[in-house]
Every structure is written in structure tokens, then in C-alpha cells.
Amino acid sequence: MKLDKEGNATFFEKKKTELYQELGLQARDLRFQHLMSIATRNNRIIMRMEFLKAVITPEFLLILDYRNLNLEHWLLTELTSQLSGEGQLVTYSLPFEFRAIEAILQYWISRLQGRLNTLQPQILETLEALVDPKLLSVDRSKLHILLQNGKSLSELETDLKVFKETILEILDEEELIEELCLSKWTDPQVFEESTSGIDHAEEMELLLENYYRQAEDLANEARELRVLIDDSESIIFINLD
């Protein structure tokens, strides 16, 4: 799926060999070996957010294997409108690659937030029932639910950690931040703007830091839930005895 600067979408099938040659990439660039990564190759940004695989250029955004993702609603409504300027992207006044990166990071953070929003009330409700002193026995089915929720919480904590590490790898290297500012190197006008006061590398750093902080906030909430589960275990075992 190819989206241009106005959010217009076109769809096509192409062999991977043809695609990487057309993009000026190598075969290894489109193997997406890591579950989560943000990298630049030949003035292209290659992003992977687990199942979501994208290539960003100064002119368009490619979403690979989109049919297998069950993401049509997000792709055809939210993403297209965001790229065309109808959404809430803070980077709309900046070059296209900023919009594309922000839209993908925003989608991923929303997905992580949604998982936490589902888990949090379930865990709190289950814990409340299991540690209730008025109950003479423990509902074993609720104990099973807590174990399942605890496993889901661990998976969420891992995903948040990987997301944060992926962004932090870039934030720690000034050169990597610069490389993400594609238009600065291909469009003379953009370069002139950047030298006359708009520092695109600084804008990119602020963008990445914003999503790092959001992930950190979610990780703290998840950590608080984990502490609650750990603190409640002794009470639950006493009730079981």
C-alpha cells in the first residue's frame, strides 16, 4: 500500500526483488530481521513495529504485506487523513517523513495503551475479589484469570521495553537522528529552512522523545500493576491455606 503526501492510497503487488531495486535498497533491508527497528538506508527509513512493516521516503510511505494485518480501518481512515493534514499530527508543518514516522509511532503507542486499558480493570477487579477478607475461600477460577492476566502483563511490559530501547538507540546517536531527516539532504529548500532557524534534527529528537516518554508512562503504570499482584500474593496464599 502506497500513501503519498496528500494521503492518497494506491495498492499494488510486486516481487521483493523488484521492490528493493526500485527503492535503491538491498535484499537484506527488506528482510526485517528484528521485531522492532527504525533504520535508514540510502535515504529511506525502514520501520518495523512487529507485524507492521513500512518504508518511508521524502515523497511517500509504503506499508508492506498490509492485507495480512487486518489494519484496513486504520490504514484507510486514520492514516490517510493524518498524512493529508486532517488528523492531529503535531508534525504536519514539517517534511513528509516526520508525519509518516509520527503516525506509525502514534498508532503503536495507542495499541499499547489499549492493551493496558483492557488489562488494568481486569487485574484490579480480580485482585479485589481474591484478597477480600470476607471471603472464606478463594475462587479458583479467579486465580486462573489472574495468572492469565499476569502473563499478558509480562508480555506488555516486554513490548514496552523493546519499544523504548528501539527509540533510545536513535536518541543516543546524534548522527542517527540526522539521518532520519530525509528531506534535509534531498531538498535544497528544506536545507535552507533548516539553516535559517528550523532545526529538523532537533524536531526529530523532540518527536522521538515524546513517544519515549509516553512509553515510559505506560511502563510505570504496568509496573504498578505488577507490584500490586506481587503484594497480593501472600494474602491470596493465606486465603488458600
Side-chain angles (χ1 to χ4, degrees), residues 28-94:
R28 62 185 172 84
D29 297 327
L30 297 184
R31 287 195 193 114
F32 295 95
Q33 293 164 319
H34 301 286
L35 278 176
M36 197 162 286
S37 61
I38 304 171
T40 52
R41 299 273 192 282
N42 196 23
N43 215 41
R44 308 280 186 255
I45 297 167
I46 302 162
M47 285 186 76
R48 177 164 185 179
M49 297 284 138
E50 291 185 15
F51 52 79
L52 180 58
K53 297 181 285 187
V55 178
I56 300 166
T57 79
E59 303 297 330
F60 58 83
L61 163 65
L62 284 182
I63 305 291
L64 278 65
D65 305 323
Y66 77 95
R67 283 199 186 95
N68 305 325
L69 305 181
N70 198 25
L71 287 178
E72 276 84 351
H73 176 74
W74 173 67
L75 291 168
L76 296 173
T77 54
E78 292 181 47
L79 183 57
T80 50
S81 65
Q82 283 178 323
L83 294 178
S84 65
E86 295 170 22
Q88 301 297 314
L89 297 182
V90 297
T91 54
Y92 182 67
S93 61
L94 292 165

Side-chain angles (χ1 to χ4, degrees), residues 5 58-59 182-193:
K5 292 181 177 182
E59 303 297 330
L182 304 180
S183 299
K184 187 174 179 178
W185 312 111
T186 58
D187 187 338
Q189 185 183 346
V190 169
F191 184 76
E192 285 168 19
E193 286 177 3

Side-chain angles (χ1 to χ4, degrees), residues 116 118-128 130-131 142-157 220-238:
L116 183 64
T118 301
L119 271 175
Q120 197 169 40
Q122 290 176 359
I123 290 172
L124 294 176
E125 184 185 332
T126 307
L127 283 176
E128 193 176 345
L130 285 168
V131 300
K142 289 196 179 298
L143 199 57
H144 178 70
I145 291 169
L146 183 64
L147 288 170
Q148 291 297 109
N149 287 340
K151 183 183 174 187
S152 297
L153 183 63
S154 295
E155 290 168 356
L156 176 59
E157 287 178 303
N220 288 336
E221 287 185 58
R223 207 172 293 119
E224 287 170 13
L225 282 178
R226 173 65 59 200
V227 170
L228 272 179
I229 292 173
D230 293 344
D231 289 350
S232 302
E233 276 184 350
S234 56
I235 301 170
I236 293 166
F237 287 130
I238 288 167

